[in-house]
């Protein structure tokens, strides 16, 4: 799935998870998925539908709502819920059972051209994820014709900065606290090694 095709249905729906809720164990528990996907992600989608009902945003697909509300102080609630609905749909694709390892050759070459090596890219993702103060996201993005690692706070996302996301890691506490308590670095490290979905990132290069 290309990232621009995530969630275009109106009203907005909670996208189906492509794996069982225990498929990421022991790294991410079924209990974390049940809260993170079943409560938090669902909450953003439900809130968004309530917030846009009867407004100019009611018939807009998700990415249009995000673009139309970004940076507008009086539309913060709509932006936050729309962006979080998009970010979470993108995050679930960014993980897969038996992920990690090495990207396929096209993406690997792009990574080596931009970062020097896969290890440097992973270290930059680790640094972005662990230095994001408070809630947010670490991203691998295409910025122009170069790959970069960026971090965003709260609901913010690279789409609003003209960058194309390839994959993301959620570093809100709700993503890891039940399994790792305050040890965010342990969560990010094992996600990068065992769950990250390089195939999804490679599809998004296209
Ligand atoms: Fe989350």
């Amino acid at each position: 799935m290309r990232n621009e095709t995530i969630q275009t249905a109106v009203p907005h729906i909670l996208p189906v998870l492509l794996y069982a809720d225990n498929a990421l164990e022991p790294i991410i528990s079924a209990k974390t998925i049940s809260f993170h996907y079943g409560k938090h992600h669902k909450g953003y989608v439900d809130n968004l539908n309530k917030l846009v009902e009867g407004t100019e945003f009611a018939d807009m697909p998700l990415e249009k709502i995000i673009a139309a509300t970004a940076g507008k102080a009086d539309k913060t609630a709509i932006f936050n819920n729309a962006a979080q609905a998009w970010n979470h749909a993108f995050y679930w694709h960014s993980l897969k059972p038996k992920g990690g390892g090495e990207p396929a050759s096209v993406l690997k070459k792009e990574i080596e051209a931009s970062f020097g090596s896969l290890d440097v890219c992973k270290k930059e993702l680790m640094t972005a994820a662990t230095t994001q103060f408070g809630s947010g996201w670490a991203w691998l993005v295409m910025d122009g014709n170069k790959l970069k690692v960026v971090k965003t706070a709260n609901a913010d996302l690279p789409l609003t900065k003209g960058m194309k996301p390839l994959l993301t890691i959620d570093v809100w506490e709700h993503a890891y606290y039940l399994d790792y308590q305050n040890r965010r670095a342990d969560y990010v490290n094992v996600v990068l090694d065992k769950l990250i979905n390089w195939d999804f990132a490679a599809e998004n290069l296209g």
Side-chain angles (χ1 to χ4, degrees), residues 36 40-41 44 84 88 91-92 137 170-172 174-175:
H36 195 182
H40 291 280
H41 188 178
Y44 297 125
Q84 284 293 78
H88 282 87
Y91 171 65
W92 302 125
W137 301 82
D170 187 344
V171 298
W172 284 58
H174 66 219

Side-chain angles (χ1 to χ4, degrees), residues 43-64:
Y44 297 125
V45 173
D46 290 348
N47 285 338
L48 178 64
N49 281 324
K50 279 183 213 149
L51 286 164
V52 299
E53 195 177 347
T55 74
E56 65 199 283
F57 306 106
D59 297 321
M60 277 188 199
L62 198 51
E63 288 187 14
K64 283 206 169 151

Side-chain angles (χ1 to χ4, degrees), residues 79-131:
F79 172 80
N80 283 341
N81 284 283
Q84 284 293 78
W86 195 96
N87 291 345
H88 282 87
F90 197 76
Y91 171 65
W92 302 125
H93 284 283
S94 298
L95 307 177
K96 70 170 187 178
K98 299 194 173 76
E102 298 234 329
S105 62
V106 173
L107 177 59
K108 197 173 175 203
K109 277 183 192 148
E110 292 278 355
I111 286 173
E112 287 170 351
S114 296
F115 296 97
S117 71
L118 177 63
D119 268 357
V120 173
C121 174
K122 286 168 74 176
K123 277 186 188 132
E124 286 200 22
L125 278 163
M126 182 75 185
T127 301
T130 52
T131 60

Side-chain angles (χ1 to χ4, degrees), residues 25-48:
E25 290 190 335
I27 296 146
I28 296 177
S29 65
K31 191 173 182 188
T32 289
I33 298 284
S34 76
F35 280 95
H36 195 182
Y37 171 74
K39 305 283 185 198
H40 291 280
H41 188 178
K42 183 175 187 300
Y44 297 125
V45 173
D46 290 348
N47 285 338
L48 178 64

Side-chain angles (χ1 to χ4, degrees), residues 9-24:
V10 178
H12 307 282
I13 51 163
L14 182 66
V16 174
L17 208 54
L18 298 179
Y19 33 79
D21 61 2
N22 64 355
L24 305 181

